[in-house]
Amino acid sequence: MPDAPLILHGRVCAVLGENIDTDIIYPGRYLNITDRAQTAEHLFELAYPSIRRDLQPGDFVVASKNFGCGSSREQAATALKFAGAGAVLAASFARIFYRNAINLGLPAVVSPQAFSHCAPGDELEIDLTGGSVHNVTHNIVFPAAPLDPRAVELLQAGGLIPYLKRKHAGVA
Amino acid sequence: MGMTLAEKILARASGRARVSPHEIVVANVDLAMSHENADLVRKSFAEIGVPRVWDPSKIVIIFDHRIPAESEKTATTHKAVREFVAAQGIAHFYDVGRGGICHQVLAERGHVKPGMVVVGTDSHTTTHGAFGAFATGIGATEMAGVWAEGTLWFKVPSTIRIEVDGEFHEWISAKDLILYIIGKLGVAGADYRAVEFDGSAIRRMTIASRMVLANLSMEMGAKAAFTPVPEIGPDPGAVYERVLHIDAGRDLAEPQIACPHSVDHVKPLSALGALPVHQCVLGSCTNGRLEDLEVAARVVAGRSVHPRTRLIVIPASQLVYRDAMRLGYLETLMAAGAIINPPGCGPCVGVHQGILAAGEVCVSSTNRNFIGRMGSKDSFVYLASPAVVAASAVAGELAHPQAICSPEVSHA
């Protein structure tokens, strides 16, 4: 499988505020769904059900500070990924969500300016390692934290499981 | 230059003489805990292609989120985990009726030791910092990696030190203290950081109360949180990102309440007006221990739960349940009109055993009040201490335990 790209093009699907918690992203009542593709059906179900309807493959979700706070439930990141989100851009991420996203191969991009420089429908180009975001619609460029080499390695492999699979297949 | 406790434990676990904040280390994991989401871990683990887990003796699996199984779907995942546990020779498995809430069981069965690196597929794994362990929550996929390799990378956190002195007022508990701190620091106030609690007021606390502090530190984003243990501590001269001083008597004059829909939306009880309450929940990994049931029993003794309110009590484990039964707390609570749920997460995670309807208000000793956390997205959860939960059940509205209990009873 070819490595996942490090420059992403896509459309902003939603711009959310601060402290979007994991119960908002993926309600606890669906935690017994362990089929990953099925989790997508319940993305933002209680608080923002329209996002699930509007989200097209490759779309970006933008938020302010502390995205993904709360539970360690991986389904929050899984549902975003399997609903087709190309990346999440936020001013900051809660730590467990951040690790879950990268481990699942979903780019989580730290950009304090994204919230004020993006509106739903905007076209973006994100340079994951270069550390910049180009809002093509408004022709503005703003910074993002470049992903660290460990995260890049995991994203390029498609997530932690494909990464470990490759590694252990090599050892055998 | 000395190291904080988090630095010290991560240095030891990664085979280094010393580590500094923001450095990345690969640490050996001493204990890896999962609950029902072991089913997700199991599936990811199978994809990696490693036939056996790295060390079955270091894995603990405890069912708690949906016990007994509330649906066929859950029953199927439980079954799959039981089969995996048997096939891998994982001896530390606590099935329905043999354990309770994972963090309580991990603690009371002695799995956690000072200085350990503990990871769990549950955010409240920080609880085990009350035993001097660097304990943190991770996702299921990451846990599959731990099961395969026994190691995990960590960014060494900087540490916030919180020193608490002074005497607590009557009816004020560890829950009020940590809600007060979360209110001050905010829900991301300790994000990516470790927290060290110390001070005379902490050192006088029971272990159960210290667990409340470590548990709820997660709600301000903490990666790990510690209360003091004799076996291991920070070095003299350890460097802290910031140090907070709290005087329990001065700063905590009354019970603290976290209002909907954020754990840092904290107000002193008197700042809230009359608030009719439909449900009160006493339980969870935060506040379902014996001392929590004891104080609740003391508040409701000889009184009745208000007609508009139901009181749901969930002992944190089978052991807590049996102790509370033997000591008469459950008898007292039931006589007042409480229903006792089996040990487990119950309604805290919004799955079963006490879901809220639209428009309903719940005062709860649990840990989260997010939108839809306990049921309808239009319900309202107020987080409070066990004493306030019990008092509110009797009053039918948010209430101070002092207002419910006569002075004779309250000073008994």
Side-chain angles (χ1 to χ4, degrees):
Chain A
M1 213 173 73
D3 283 354
L6 294 174
I7 297 199
L8 309 174
H9 299 266
R11 188 188 69 120
V12 175
C13 164
V15 178
L16 304 168
E18 292 182 0
N19 303 325
I20 300 298
D21 62 64
T22 52
D23 279 83
I24 289 179
I25 304 169
Y26 190 85
R29 67 190 69 166
Y30 303 119
L31 287 179
N32 63 348
I33 295 176
T34 57
D35 175 88
R36 294 192 191 115
Q38 235 184 65
T39 62
E41 291 166 26
H42 305 292
L43 180 66
F44 292 116
E45 184 175 292
L46 297 185
Y48 306 110
S50 63
I51 297 179
R52 172 73 190 103
R53 290 194 296 273
D54 298 345
L55 198 141
Q56 301 296 317
D59 276 2
F60 304 132
V61 173
V62 175
S64 183
K65 288 185 280 189
N66 202 29
F67 186 86
C69 60
S71 155
S72 65
R73 67 189 61 164
E74 188 162 284
Q75 287 96 331
T78 313
L80 278 161
K81 184 179 165 72
F82 281 83
V88 182
L89 292 89
S92 63
F93 289 92
R95 51 167 291 275
I96 305 178
F97 178 88
Y98 185 83
R99 290 181 78 122
N100 284 343
I102 301 293
N103 284 331
L104 287 163
L106 172 69
V109 182
V110 178
S111 173
Q113 286 94 331
F115 176 73
S116 47
H117 288 342
C118 295
D122 288 358
E123 296 287 333
L124 305 184
E125 184 177 289
I126 307 172
D127 182 346
L128 294 175
T129 50
S132 70
V133 180
H134 181 196
N135 184 326
V136 179
T137 307
H138 297 290
N139 197 25
I140 38 175
V141 176
F142 55 91
L147 287 178
D148 75 52
R150 184 178 298 267
V152 170
E153 211 177 355
L154 289 175
L155 282 180
Q156 286 202 292
L160 178 66
I161 297 304
Y163 171 84
L164 288 175
K165 202 167 163 179
R166 226 184 257 184
K167 178 179 159 187
H168 287 278
V171 170
Chain B
M1 207 168 70
M3 287 190 284
T4 66
L5 187 46
E7 290 159 12
K8 220 164 158 170
I9 294 173
L10 288 177
R12 194 270 307 155
S14 60
R16 301 201 186 186
R18 59 172 302 112
V19 298
S20 305
H22 314 306
E23 228 178 294
I24 305 263
V25 299
V26 176
N28 290 315
V29 170
D30 299 304
L31 192 64
M33 188 275 297
S34 288
H35 45 69
E36 280 100 322
N37 62 12
D39 190 48
L40 278 173
V41 185
R42 172 189 74 79
K43 286 183 174 178
S44 293
F45 178 77
E47 284 179 50
I48 297 171
V50 176
R52 310 293 301 178
V53 298
W54 106 101
D55 186 345
S57 73
K58 291 181 176 167
I59 296 173
V60 182
I61 294 176
I62 303 163
F63 286 168
D64 62 6
H65 273 49
R66 294 164 185 258
I67 55 166
E70 92 302 349
S71 64
E72 188 178 344
K73 190 170 193 67
T74 296
T76 306
T77 61
H78 283 181
K79 183 175 173 223
V81 173
R82 288 187 190 105
E83 287 167 1
F84 180 84
V85 159
Q88 293 284 335
I90 295 168
H92 303 307
F93 170 55
Y94 297 92
D95 206 334
V96 176
R98 290 166 175 84
I101 302 177
C102 62
H103 302 303
Q104 179 64 16
V105 173
L106 208 60
E108 69 190 12
R109 301 302 177 102
H111 289 292
V112 185
K113 307 265 189 304
M116 274 185 165
V117 171
V118 178
V119 294
T121 47
D122 189 279
S123 57
H124 292 110
T125 301
T126 54
T127 307
H128 308 289
F131 304 94
F134 182 95
T136 197
I138 62 173
T141 293
E142 195 138 63
M143 184 59 92
V146 172
W147 283 6
E149 303 196 320
T151 58
L152 191 61
W153 68 271
F154 292 97
K155 190 187 267 187
V156 178
S158 57
T159 298
I160 299 172
R161 188 167 167 89
I162 301 178
E163 296 185 352
V164 187
D165 294 293
E167 299 281 342
F168 282 94
H169 293 283
E170 191 177 20
W171 302 115
I172 305 298
S173 68
K175 181 65 162 282
D176 300 295
L177 171 62
I178 189 66
L179 288 180
Y180 173 80
I181 293 168
I182 296 168
K184 292 286 167 213
L185 295 182
V187 284
D191 216 4
Y192 295 92
R193 296 168 178 85
V195 178
E196 275 180 22
F197 292 94
D198 208 336
S200 57
I202 305 289
R203 287 177 180 265
R204 281 196 302 272
M205 276 183 182
T206 62
I207 296 295
S209 290
R210 298 177 191 203
M211 288 170 78
V212 177
L213 303 180
N215 173 282
L216 268 184
S217 291
M218 200 288 139
E219 301 309 323
M220 48 185 181
K223 182 183 237 170
F226 303 96
T227 56
V229 293
E231 292 84 354
I232 187 171
D235 292 330
V239 177
Y240 296 98
E241 182 183 308
R242 71 192 277 202
V243 181
L244 299 178
H245 295 277
I246 292 169
D247 184 298
R250 184 194 61 208
D251 299 324
L252 289 164
E254 54 174 310
Q256 305 290 304
I257 313 292
C259 303
H261 294 285
S262 184
V263 186
D264 63 358
H265 193 196
V266 176
K267 294 179 179 172
L269 190 142
S270 65
L272 296 163
L275 180 75
V277 172
H278 307 97
Q279 177 165 298
C280 289
V281 173
L282 175 67
S284 83
C285 58
T286 305
N287 276 124
R289 283 177 269 280
L290 195 63
E291 66 180 21
D292 304 321
L293 273 52
E294 185 276 331
V295 72
R298 194 147 40 95
V299 171
V300 305
R303 302 183 173 88
S304 289
V305 172
H306 192 278
R308 91 170 133 236
T309 309
R310 57 243 179 215
L311 171 59
I312 300 173
V313 175
I314 314 149
S317 69
Q318 295 284 128
L319 284 179
V320 169
Y321 197 131
R322 292 173 67 184
D323 283 345
M325 196 158 54
R326 188 171 43 79
L327 292 164
Y329 305 156
L330 298 186
E331 172 65 30
T332 303
L333 289 160
M334 290 179 80
I339 186 169
I340 314 295
N341 276 4
C345 302
C348 178
V349 72
V351 171
H352 61 162
Q353 298 172 344
I355 298 305
L356 298 171
E360 287 194 319
V361 170
C362 178
V363 176
S364 182
S365 75
T366 56
N367 43 56
R368 290 193 175 126
N369 56 0
F370 301 157
I371 293 170
R373 172 75 181 182
M374 208 180 272
S376 167
K377 68 179 171 58
D378 301 310
S379 61
F380 304 89
V381 177
Y382 291 76
L383 304 177
S385 69
V388 168
V389 167
S392 303
V394 171
E397 58 184 21
L398 187 65
H400 195 307
Q402 191 73 60
I404 299 298
C405 300
S406 67
E408 299 84 64
V409 174
S410 67
H411 289 106

